[in-house]
Amino acid sequence: MMGGETVEETKPVVATPVDKEFIYEFIVNVPHHSAIGHHINDFLIDGVKPPSGSVVLYQPPDRNDAPDSYVWDGDATTQVAYNNPQPAGDVFMTVTLNQPERPKKFTIGYARPLYAPGWIIKENDVAIITETENRGGEAEPIGVRYDYVLP
């Protein structure tokens, strides 16, 4: 090299992940067994509570004055509850995620198995999980969680 010349260092280009929008609808396909409405104490995405503002319930809970946030607060000791069960075909909640990767699973905690319906879970308007049964009429165990692994 001759005096006064400079050599530019090239830095490797690191691709940053691009966020994609994933919209999930949780639709009651088979109503749960109980004569009163849902009792849900947690909703997790890949084992962690969802991002703030990503979950919208079909209506505010109307039993025991609990806020909507008890569904997704990551605390299994809090819960939302409803007086009346939802019929088949009704959307219970919508989850909107803006992230690079699709989630692998959802986990829903119920007060008892008899509060767990059979869901249709849609991803971007396409059914990816369709349950044809609810989780039965058992009152035990108290505090149960079910994983919904995305195909």
Side-chain angles (χ1 to χ4, degrees), residues 42-109:
D42 223 354
F43 173 74
L44 303 172
I45 301 170
D46 292 334
V48 298
K49 67 183 186 176
S52 179
S54 63
V55 180
V56 176
L57 301 180
Y58 79 105
Q59 72 179 41
D62 60 4
R63 187 179 179 92
N64 302 332
D65 297 321
D68 292 6
S69 63
Y70 280 4
V71 168
W72 59 81
D73 64 2
D75 181 352
T77 66
T78 61
Q79 76 174 0
V80 299
Y82 294 87
N83 285 312
N84 297 309
Q86 276 188 282
D90 277 9
V91 175
F92 174 72
M93 70 179 163
T94 302
V95 180
T96 302
L97 302 171
N98 289 297
Q99 57 190 38
E101 297 292 325
R102 166 183 204 254
K104 292 175 179 41
K105 73 174 179 177
F106 298 113
T107 302
I108 301 178

Side-chain angles (χ1 to χ4, degrees), residues 27-33 110 113 116-120 129-137 146 148:
I27 301 163
V28 175
N29 192 41
V30 180
H32 62 272
H33 189 76
Y110 302 91
W119 295 110
I120 294 173
I129 293 175
T130 301
E131 295 183 311
T132 58
E133 297 178 351
N134 61 29
R135 300 292 176 143
Y146 298 112
Y148 302 88

Side-chain angles (χ1 to χ4, degrees), residues 111-131:
R112 303 167 190 270
L114 60 87
Y115 292 116
W119 295 110
I120 294 173
I121 301 174
K122 287 186 174 183
E123 177 185 72
N124 299 335
D125 290 325
V126 176
I128 57 170
I129 293 175
T130 301
E131 295 183 311

